[in-house]
Amino acid sequence: MADLSIGDLAARTGLAVSAIRFYETHGIVQPLRNAGGHRRYGRADIRRLSFVMAATGMGFSLADVAAHMAHLPAHKAPTKADWSRISRNFRGQIDARIATLERLRDRLDGCIGCGCLSLKSCRLHNPADIMAKDGPGPRKLIAD
Amino acid sequence: MADLSIGDLAARTGLAVSAIRFYETHGIVQPLRNAGGHRRYGRADIRRLSFVMAATGMGFSLADVAAHMAHLPAHKAPTKADWSRISRNFRGQIDARIATLERLRDRLDGCIGCGCLSLKSCRLHNPADIMAKDGPGPRKLIAD
DNA sequence: CTAATTCCTCAAGTACACTTGAGATCAAGA
DNA sequence: TCTTGATCTCAAGTGTACTTGAGGAATTAG
């Protein structure tokens, strides 16, 4: 009920209209169309987009977010259980990221103390658990 | 002493040679040149690049990182005090990011409980302190 | 000394996340 | 009804962070 135009949705989420259309190409929202071909959204889409904003704003990729949201029903409003499951999954990723940041912070604290004068002992210089598993390359250092 | 080739540096940091050259265009490293025009790095550059990897890996922009590193001396090895100052400054940004992630996490916890059935009360839906100051637009949500 | 590596520069390409613009259609208020 | 504003599609552009490739010179292992 009370379907929204793309402009309404933009106004309510703070996103640009173009961004909402872009997210649609990633399957994050799947609006219906009215007689004239204009997109019509439900209220649940406000929440979807808020979730996307929060997650991408924290540095998670759209692909990541889209993968989580793929578990939500397409056109009917997600249930409490739907959102709960997503929240729990995503929470794991957030916790992982916090842990990594805390490790980095602790290392920097160590550097403040040691002055980083010893290459061998400096933990910043050997960030083994920050760096990815498969060989050199800066690819996806914080991949979950 | 013991100056390193770009390949040596790549091997020791895990970065691609092309990435190190790219960082040079951003002023992050400023190698000398030997007679044949090849870049020569000092050991201190290993640490510089490790710092960059840690920071960019956590989602900080190169510009951010470069701004911090601009306070390090260009060609002489940074002193303990130099690194300490950078560590302290950067620590502030890390703490801010951790705090934002924790807020997001707490909101998700709230959503797990409430099931996000109320648009008005859902905190994910009104992430005022995640969203930037100046009006709508997803620009730089996590800017420090 | 030769051959294989490594390195050089510079231009162009890639991936992600969107924005901008053109040209046309749809919707809503005076 | 008219006209302004919102929306449509599709192509191309933007910024960030790099990678890839071409053509050529320097370095190093045998």
Side-chain angles (χ1 to χ4, degrees), chain A residues 2-25 29-34 37-43 45-46 49 53, chain B residues 136:
Chain A
D3 48 19
L4 306 162
S5 72
I6 195 167
D8 293 336
L9 200 52
R12 293 193 184 209
T13 58
L15 286 167
V17 166
S18 58
I20 298 174
R21 288 203 196 97
F22 176 71
Y23 289 158
E24 182 178 344
T25 68
V29 281
Q30 295 166 54
L32 302 170
R33 300 298 179 116
N34 71 1
H38 287 199
R39 293 170 177 83
R40 290 300 146 186
Y41 299 87
R43 288 196 183 282
D45 290 319
I46 298 175
L49 292 176
M53 291 175 78

Side-chain angles (χ1 to χ4, degrees), chain A residues 10-16 19 23 43 46-47 50-51 53-60 78-81 83-84 86-88 90-91 94-95 97-98 100-102 104-106 108-109 111-120 122 124-127 130-131 135-138 141-142, chain B residues 10-16 19 23 43-44 46-47 50-51 53-60 78-81 83-88 90-91 94-95 97-98 100-102 104-106 108-109 111-119 122 124-127 130-131 136-138 141-142:
Chain A
R12 293 193 184 209
T13 58
L15 286 167
Y23 289 158
R43 288 196 183 282
I46 298 175
R47 191 179 309 284
S50 296
F51 182 85
M53 291 175 78
T56 60
M58 293 319 301
F60 293 96
T79 67
K80 163 171 175 161
W83 275 112
S84 290
I86 298 229
S87 294
R88 258 189 299 269
F90 189 50
R91 208 207 130 124
I94 292 174
D95 285 343
R97 192 160 289 210
I98 288 174
T100 306
L101 276 167
E102 283 173 344
L104 176 57
R105 180 183 64 186
D106 292 346
L108 282 171
D109 283 352
C111 281
I112 291 172
C114 78
C116 276
L117 293 176
S118 165
L119 268 176
K120 293 152 204 76
C122 180
L124 233 195
H125 173 232
N126 292 84
I130 293 185
M131 300 192 38
L141 292 179
I142 35 173
Chain B
R12 293 193 184 209
T13 58
L15 286 166
Y23 289 159
R43 289 197 182 283
I46 299 175
R47 191 180 309 284
S50 296
F51 181 85
M53 291 175 78
T56 59
M58 293 320 300
F60 293 97
T79 67
K80 163 172 175 161
W83 276 113
S84 290
R85 186 155 21 81
I86 298 229
S87 294
R88 258 188 300 270
F90 189 50
R91 208 208 129 121
I94 293 174
D95 285 344
R97 192 159 291 207
I98 288 174
T100 306
L101 275 167
E102 283 173 342
L104 177 57
R105 182 183 62 187
D106 292 347
L108 282 172
D109 283 352
C111 281
I112 290 172
C114 78
C116 276
L117 294 176
S118 165
L119 269 176
C122 179
L124 235 195
H125 174 235
N126 291 85
I130 293 184
M131 301 194 39
L141 291 179
I142 36 173

Side-chain angles (χ1 to χ4, degrees), chain B residues 7-59:
Chain B
D8 293 336
L9 200 52
R12 293 193 184 209
T13 58
L15 286 166
V17 166
S18 60
I20 299 175
R21 288 204 197 96
F22 176 72
Y23 289 159
E24 183 178 342
T25 68
H26 285 251
I28 286 171
V29 282
Q30 296 167 53
L32 302 170
R33 299 297 180 118
N34 71 0
H38 287 199
R39 293 170 176 83
R40 291 299 144 184
Y41 298 88
R43 289 197 182 283
D45 289 319
I46 299 175
R47 191 180 309 284
R48 275 172 194 269
L49 291 177
S50 296
F51 181 85
V52 173
M53 291 175 78
T56 59
M58 293 320 300

